[in-house]
């Protein structure tokens, strides 16, 4: 049996609102540059599907990915992820493979295997009576999540209003 050639990392997150997209983009643009230049990186790309922003990165091994993850622009971006994204819907999945997945395969693998990033779904603690008690983290309801059409509409409106204003000013300075 041969040793896997790559470490694949798939991340997906849902923004709290399209109004958080500018902050998200501000922090993630330097991350792409960092990822593509990182030692051990073979591939770094992003995608938007089903209302979820995805990243797919391919590394020599898990160690190369974790060095990247904990440094530079990525470390800064991780600090703001809970400000812009729904925490419970920020999920990751990493695995070793001989093959780089297509986007369709990556999203399918992520849907089947991804776990919430940065915290457990449940935590256990000892009660005063020495029994184990389950403490379940509060979940957001689906009504807190924008659907694809709403998000695209909000992003378009947020981006188009300043563009239209600038164009009007440039084309019609007498207004």
């Amino acid at each position: 049996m041969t040793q896997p050639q790559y470490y694949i990392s798939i991340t997906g997150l849902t923004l709290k609102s399209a109004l958080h997209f500018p902050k998200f983009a501000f922090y993630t643009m330097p991350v792409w540059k960092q990822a593509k230049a990182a030692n051990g990186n073979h591939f770094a790309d992003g995608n938007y599907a089903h209302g979820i922003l995805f990243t797919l990165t391919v590394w020599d091994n898990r160690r190369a990915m974790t060095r990247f993850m904990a440094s530079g622009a990525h470390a800064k971006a991780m600090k703001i992820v809970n400000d812009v994204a729904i925490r419970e819907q920020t999920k990751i999945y990493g695995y070793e493979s001989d093959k780089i997945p297509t986007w369709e395969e990556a999203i399918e693998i992520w849907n089947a295997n991804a776990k919430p990033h940065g915290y457990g779904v449940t935590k256990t603690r000892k009660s005063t009576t020495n029994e184990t008690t389950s403490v379940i983290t509060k979940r957001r309801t689906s009504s807190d999540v924008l659907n694809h059409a709403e998000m695209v509409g909000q992003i378009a409106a947020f981006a188009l209003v300043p563009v239209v204003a600038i164009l009007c000013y440039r084309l019609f300075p007498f207004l």
Side-chain angles (χ1 to χ4, degrees):
M1 186 169 173
T2 63
Q3 186 172 353
Q5 185 175 354
Y6 304 111
Y7 183 80
I8 313 295
S9 180
I10 309 164
T11 303
L13 64 82
T14 303
L15 294 178
K16 290 178 179 178
S17 159
L19 299 177
H20 291 285
F21 185 77
K23 183 175 184 178
F24 174 78
F26 175 81
Y27 279 89
T28 57
M29 292 305 163
V31 173
W32 289 118
K33 184 176 180 181
Q34 177 193 0
K36 290 177 181 184
N39 287 335
N41 180 266
H42 295 276
F43 179 80
D45 195 18
N47 198 350
Y48 180 75
H50 315 292
I52 302 168
L53 294 160
F54 288 98
T55 64
L56 172 61
T57 55
V58 179
W59 303 90
D60 283 341
N61 50 48
R62 184 173 182 178
R63 187 174 183 187
M65 184 276 300
T66 56
R67 278 194 309 262
F68 156 77
M69 181 187 71
S71 66
H74 191 273
K76 289 178 186 174
M78 284 178 56
K79 291 178 182 177
I80 62 98
V81 74
N82 289 335
D83 295 342
V84 299
I86 298 170
R87 184 176 182 183
E88 297 84 359
Q89 294 181 11
T90 300
K91 298 179 183 180
I92 61 168
Y93 183 65
Y95 65 99
E96 294 179 333
S97 178
D98 293 329
K99 177 181 172 259
I100 298 173
T102 65
W103 267 113
E104 292 78 19
E105 292 167 337
I107 291 169
E108 186 177 311
I109 291 166
W110 182 86
N111 280 326
N113 300 293
K115 303 288 184 228
H117 182 262
Y119 72 101
V121 174
T122 61
K123 298 177 183 177
T124 58
R125 64 183 163 135
K126 294 280 184 175
S127 71
T128 55
T129 60
N130 216 13
E131 297 171 3
T132 303
T133 309
S134 179
V135 180
I136 300 173
T137 308
K138 182 183 174 197
R139 295 279 183 211
R140 287 186 180 261
T141 64
S142 61
S143 63
D144 292 335
V145 182
L146 292 176
N147 68 34
H148 177 75
E150 288 173 330
M151 183 168 286
V152 169
Q154 285 188 8
I155 291 171
F158 188 80
L160 287 177
V161 169
V163 170
V164 170
I166 290 167
L167 285 174
C168 287
Y169 176 76
R170 298 268 184 187
L171 295 173
F172 308 106
F174 53 86
L175 290 179

